[in-house]
């Protein structure tokens, strides 16, 4: 096994042309450089230098080893610099998957905080339903997932950090509405994969909602409500991203979703991931998204 310290010695000799100059470059004493050179010859079984007058020169074997040593030392120094940069967060990457309203309301301020604190860290975003986001996390395709659940707990294999509880509202043209009070109304709901919790809430209220329109787009849903085509439910975080004029939002007391941040694998997380998590928690603290009062159109200046 070649010693990296002794490889530095022969590379310095090749670069500077003498033991004395190599010792000065390495901040070693001249006897220390001579000792390491002798040990390197003993380890390799090759004559690496020969005396020429008062100086030395490398043999062909020495020149070959010096070239390789220079390459090896360059790679080692580059790896050390890259690792130091990652630890110091001068560079790095974090990949985040999240649902639409989280990407719209929470991730942008977190991204801004991350960029100001660590401008060399790259942030990659992908919009994904929570189930898909967790699959991406398990597959190593993202580093962080911002997801939600209702009554079901987070999966056991995920490291989940609760961020806030997101209240759900009934959207209609009248204030003070309830689920049961709209049992005969036309309902606007998400796709079949996204409406299970809504149907469960209606079932607890004692009715099966007549779903007339299907859309996962909150702008389309609110436009239909504003046109008097029906009523719908919507989480508060989504209302922060868009609240159409004329729509009343009635808080549903026993209906909410739990938003959490998910990572995977044993801690600690990579530095860039930890920095994003810190920035996201700061964004949550600043915006207080779980507060059960969505902005009204008037408050938004609409």
């Amino acid at each position: 096994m070649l010693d990296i310290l002794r490889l530095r010695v022969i590379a310095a000799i090749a670069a500077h042309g003498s033991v004395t100059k190599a010792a000065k470059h390495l901040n070693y004493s001249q006897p220390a450089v001579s000792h390491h050179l002798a040990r390197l010859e003993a380890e390799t079984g090759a004559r690496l230098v020969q005396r020429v007058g008062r100086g030395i020169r490398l043999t062909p074997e020495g020149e070959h080893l010096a070239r390789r040593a220079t390459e090896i030392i360059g790679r080692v120094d580059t790896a050390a610099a890259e690792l130091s940069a990652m630890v110091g967060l001068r560079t790095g990457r974090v990949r985040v998957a999240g649902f639409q309203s989280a990407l719209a309301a929470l991730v942008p301020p977190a991204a801004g905080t991350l960029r100001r604190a660590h401008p060399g860290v790259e942030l990659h975003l992908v919009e994904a339903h929570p189930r898909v986001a967790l699959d991406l996390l398990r597959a190593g395709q993202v580093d962080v997932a911002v997801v939600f659940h209702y009554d079901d707990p987070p999966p056991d294999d995920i490291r989940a950090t609760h961020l806030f509880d997101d209240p759900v509202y009934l959207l209609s043209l009248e204030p003070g509405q309830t689920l049961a009070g709209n049992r005969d109304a036309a309902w606007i709901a998400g796709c079949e994969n996204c409406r299970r919790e809504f149907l469960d809430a209606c079932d607890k209220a004692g009715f099966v909602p007549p779903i007339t329109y299907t859309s996962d787009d909150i702008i389309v849903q609110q436009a239909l409500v504003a046109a008097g085509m029906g009523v719908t439910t919507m989480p508060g975080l989504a209302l922060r991203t868009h609240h159409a004029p004329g729509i009343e939002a009635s808080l549903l007391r026993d209906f909410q979703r739990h938003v959490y941040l998910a990572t995977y694998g044993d801690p600690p997380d990579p530095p860039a991931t930890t920095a994003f998590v810190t920035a996201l928690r700061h964004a949550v603290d600043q915006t207080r998204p779980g507060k059960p009062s969505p902005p009204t159109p008037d408050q938004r200046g609409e």
Side-chain angles (χ1 to χ4, degrees), residues 11-302:
I13 292 173
H16 299 281
S18 73
V19 169
T20 301
K21 291 180 180 178
K24 183 177 180 181
H25 172 74
L26 296 170
N27 292 319
Y28 293 164
S29 67
Q30 185 173 331
V33 170
S34 298
H35 169 76
H36 285 304
L37 183 59
R39 291 298 303 158
L40 188 57
E41 287 186 324
E43 290 171 353
T44 60
R47 187 181 181 193
L48 302 176
V49 297
Q50 61 182 162
R51 294 195 174 277
V52 179
R54 294 184 178 182
I56 63 169
R57 68 183 178 189
L58 295 176
T59 65
E61 293 84 357
E63 290 177 348
H64 176 77
L65 183 59
R67 285 194 299 272
R68 293 302 189 192
T70 300
E71 296 172 5
I72 293 168
I73 291 166
R75 290 181 179 273
V76 169
D77 289 345
T78 297
E82 289 174 345
L83 183 60
S84 176
M86 291 178 70
V87 171
L89 280 181
R90 292 194 297 273
T91 186
R93 178 190 69 176
V94 58
R95 301 162 298 171
V96 180
F99 57 96
Q100 186 181 61
S101 55
L103 293 184
L106 298 179
V107 171
T113 298
L114 182 68
R115 174 166 291 184
R116 288 189 295 273
H118 308 289
V121 173
E122 296 180 8
L123 178 61
H124 299 265
L125 304 175
V126 58
E127 181 184 335
H129 184 275
R131 287 193 298 272
V132 176
L134 292 180
D135 288 341
L136 293 173
L137 187 65
R138 294 185 181 98
Q141 297 180 37
V142 298
D143 307 297
V144 180
V146 184
V147 295
F148 62 81
H149 68 96
Y150 286 84
D151 294 331
D152 52 318
D156 292 337
D157 62 330
I158 298 296
R159 287 193 286 123
T161 301
H162 178 261
L163 294 176
F164 60 92
D165 291 331
D166 193 15
V168 176
Y169 296 82
L170 191 153
L171 304 188
S172 68
L173 298 178
E174 301 292 335
Q177 297 295 296
T178 64
L179 287 175
N182 285 271
R183 64 175 62 243
D184 297 322
W187 281 89
I188 304 154
C191 67
E192 292 185 3
N193 294 327
C194 303
R195 64 175 67 160
R196 177 172 62 88
E197 291 78 11
F198 161 67
L199 294 176
D200 288 345
C202 292
D203 181 66
K204 292 178 181 177
F207 72 103
V208 176
I211 297 174
T212 308
Y213 305 100
T214 297
S215 175
D216 290 322
D217 190 315
I218 65 171
I219 296 177
V220 172
Q221 291 177 343
Q222 292 189 35
L224 291 171
V225 173
M229 303 301 291
V231 298
T232 191
T233 60
M234 192 166 293
L237 193 61
L239 278 173
R240 285 174 176 262
T241 65
H242 178 72
H243 192 159
I247 289 182
E248 298 288 343
S250 302
L251 178 65
L252 300 176
R253 296 293 177 184
D254 298 321
F255 192 12
Q256 63 182 0
R257 65 181 182 179
H258 314 288
V259 179
Y260 65 96
L261 182 146
T263 52
Y264 192 68
D266 294 333
D269 293 315
T273 299
T274 300
F276 173 78
V277 170
T278 300
L280 184 66
R281 294 185 68 87
H282 177 73
V284 170
D285 291 340
Q286 291 296 109
T287 59
R288 300 176 64 194
K291 184 179 179 182
S293 294
T296 67
D298 289 341
Q299 290 172 330
R300 294 171 61 92
E302 298 176 350

